[in-house]
Amino acid sequence: MRKMIQPAEQQRVLTELQDELDKTTKKDAYDEAKFWNQAFVTNSQLCLQFLRSKHFDVKETAKMMISHFETKKRLFGGGEILAREILQSDLTPVELDLLRGGYLQLLPSRDASGRVVTVTNLSPLKGNSSADLERSMWYFSMATLRDDDTSKHGTVGVLYNFDDAQVDMSCFERLSQLEFCWPHRQLGAHIC
């Protein structure tokens, strides 16, 4: 497992990743996304985000990318939406209200190590469907990860209103599983 690679090594590692994905047989959603827009799916910036999140372990990165597209298909459906970024216009009014209401937020500045600080208000977990929460979290997280520095430095999370949320643990577990589907490196968390 490689922790960091030099820019000159990137193309070799990207080729290794593509070879690993090509030899994997069970990847229907990934193949569907690639059919719709190969340039999006094989984009070096996207692939590098996944590689960084798995410390350049090619096999684990391929598994995560396959899981990413399977989960994206489960949440948003098949077709061309698999092969592009999720936009606000893809979200329902309820999901947009969750975002506007502060369910997920970014602090205006990074921490001392250059990491983005995300803040999650757990109160909306009570009374909203897990699908609405998952879809809005997917949009927020993937939009946050479009910034290359966030991909490189990772994030730190703050979760609040944990006691007031009366969290349905099955919903919380589904939301937690999303962490394994996107190129997200959460390097710390604080629960209050």
Side-chain angles (χ1 to χ4, degrees):
M1 177 182 347
R2 295 166 268 215
K3 299 280 184 183
M4 293 292 263
I5 64 168
Q6 298 300 318
E9 294 179 80
Q10 286 182 359
Q11 190 55 52
R12 183 179 50 79
V13 175
L14 288 166
T15 301
E16 287 177 24
L17 174 61
Q18 193 56 58
D19 291 345
E20 185 66 27
L21 286 162
D22 288 343
K23 73 180 184 183
T24 303
T25 55
K26 191 170 189 227
K27 57 182 190 320
D28 295 339
Y30 174 85
D31 287 339
E32 183 178 347
K34 195 171 176 182
F35 168 80
W36 282 98
N37 186 351
Q38 182 172 350
F40 175 81
V41 176
T42 60
N43 176 282
S44 61
Q45 183 178 357
L46 179 68
C47 292
L48 283 169
Q49 288 175 344
F50 280 98
L51 283 160
R52 284 184 198 112
S53 73
K54 289 298 181 184
H55 304 287
F56 295 92
D57 182 318
V58 171
K59 288 185 185 301
E60 289 303 310
T61 300
K63 288 179 192 174
M64 178 185 258
M65 286 186 76
I66 291 165
S67 177
H68 172 86
F69 286 101
E70 292 294 332
T71 302
K72 188 175 184 181
K73 184 173 183 174
R74 178 179 62 80
L75 293 174
F76 297 97
E80 62 86 24
I81 197 169
L82 278 175
R84 63 170 173 79
E85 299 288 349
I86 299 300
L87 307 172
Q88 283 188 6
S89 59
D90 297 316
L91 301 178
T92 67
V94 170
E95 294 158 358
L96 290 169
D97 285 346
L98 282 166
L99 293 172
R100 289 181 190 122
Y103 160 52
L104 301 159
Q105 303 171 51
L106 293 178
L107 290 188
S109 59
R110 296 174 184 264
D111 73 359
S113 297
R115 299 173 296 208
V116 166
V117 180
T118 62
V119 180
T120 304
N121 176 0
L122 296 175
S123 295
L125 270 66
K126 185 172 101 177
N128 283 292
S129 77
S130 65
D132 291 334
L133 295 164
E134 284 180 286
R135 285 168 51 99
S136 57
M137 182 177 275
W138 183 282
Y139 167 79
F140 175 85
S141 296
M142 291 305 295
T144 301
L145 291 170
R146 288 181 194 145
D147 172 60
D148 207 37
D149 284 339
T150 301
S151 170
K152 290 175 183 174
H153 298 291
T155 65
V156 175
V158 177
L159 290 84
Y160 71 99
N161 284 333
F162 195 80
D163 292 336
D164 296 338
Q166 299 174 1
V167 176
D168 171 7
M169 288 313 287
S170 64
C171 177
F172 192 70
E173 287 171 14
R174 283 185 72 152
L175 293 171
S176 297
Q177 289 302 309
L178 291 177
E179 300 270 338
F180 302 106
C181 300
W182 61 60
H184 180 247
R185 291 184 13 189
Q186 184 157 349
L187 300 172
H190 178 75
I191 300 174
C192 48

